[in-house]
Amino acid sequence: MLTLASKLKRDDAVKSGHSNSAVTDSVRRVSIRDRLLVKEVAELEANLPNTCKVNFPDVNKLHHFQLDVTPDEGYYQSGKFQFEVDVPEAYNMVPPKVKCLTRIWHPNITETGEICLSLLREHSIDGTGWAPTRTLKDVVWGLNSLFTDLLNFDDPLNIEAAEHHLRDKDDFRCKVQDFIKQYAR
């Protein structure tokens, strides 16, 4: 984190010497995101759920990280699910892009990794979508909750998984455990 903070200070010094306004606007937009991320990542790391772990492949790129969620209760207990989080340059006006990298049998996550979580929607009818007041901490806690209290069978993205749960809860649990054994260890 300290490396990025010093980089931002150097960028500020370089920016003051730019005369091309288009370049300056572009640099300013990125640096706003990076400044937000320095604060948000520190807050996130201080308030991370005990079932989550954040990994930054490059500590100088806080806009790209991986999240591991290891639920300690419910259907998905004993699995380790990896998510990739990319924070676009227009952050915090737009939500981060998140994909589940672990194959999973879940009503709100497709087998290809798409995620149905209202706070990740840029535009939401119900008002629970992304807003500039939301942070990475909200995203991580939301993803973690998909395995417990936000597990939603009534408004699924993976309709087949939701219908499977309605038909036969025990068989659904078995299929979830099979997916965990094959893909989430």
Side-chain angles (χ1 to χ4, degrees):
M1 302 326 142
L2 297 176
T3 310
L4 183 58
S6 11
K7 179 185 177 301
L8 290 172
K9 286 180 186 173
R10 282 193 309 267
D11 288 352
D12 281 344
V14 170
K15 259 197 294 186
S16 61
H18 284 311
S19 61
N20 183 341
S21 65
V23 171
T24 305
D25 288 344
S26 172
V27 171
R28 187 176 302 130
R29 185 171 49 242
V30 172
S31 67
I32 289 170
R33 175 195 65 182
D34 288 347
R35 282 191 176 106
L36 282 170
L37 291 178
V38 168
K39 288 194 309 190
E40 287 189 22
V41 166
E43 179 188 357
L44 173 64
E45 288 178 335
N47 297 292
L48 201 60
N50 62 355
T51 55
C52 295
K53 182 181 175 203
V54 175
N55 175 38
F56 292 90
D58 182 343
V59 294
N60 291 313
K61 294 181 180 176
L62 298 181
H63 61 274
H64 179 79
F65 63 93
Q66 292 173 337
L67 171 71
D68 291 336
V69 178
T70 52
D72 57 4
E73 61 180 277
Y75 289 117
Y76 300 93
Q77 185 176 359
S78 79
K80 180 179 176 183
F81 304 94
Q82 190 173 64
F83 295 87
E84 181 178 67
V85 181
D86 283 306
V87 181
E89 287 185 23
Y91 182 79
N92 68 346
M93 298 308 290
V94 297
K97 305 294 180 210
V98 182
K99 181 173 183 167
C100 184
L101 301 177
T102 307
R103 193 162 170 210
I104 185 172
W105 188 245
H106 192 290
N108 309 113
I109 303 172
T110 66
E111 289 183 62
T112 58
E114 297 169 76
I115 301 165
C116 179
L117 183 61
S118 62
L119 69 87
L120 293 176
R121 286 189 216 134
E122 192 168 344
H123 305 289
S124 179
I125 297 170
D126 61 5
T128 60
W130 185 257
T133 54
R134 297 211 186 258
T135 65
L136 290 179
K137 183 178 81 169
D138 298 322
V139 172
V140 169
W141 280 86
L143 290 169
N144 185 59
S145 295
L146 279 177
F147 297 99
T148 55
D149 54 330
L150 289 183
L151 182 62
N152 186 350
F153 294 98
D154 298 324
D155 184 22
L157 181 60
N158 183 342
I159 295 168
E160 189 179 350
E163 288 174 348
H164 185 190
H165 180 265
L166 289 173
R167 268 191 328 273
D168 188 342
K169 288 176 180 45
D170 290 335
D171 192 49
F172 175 83
R173 181 181 301 279
C174 287
K175 186 161 185 175
V176 166
Q177 289 305 308
D178 287 345
F179 269 61
I180 288 173
K181 286 174 189 159
Q182 285 184 347
Y183 309 110
R185 293 284 179 184

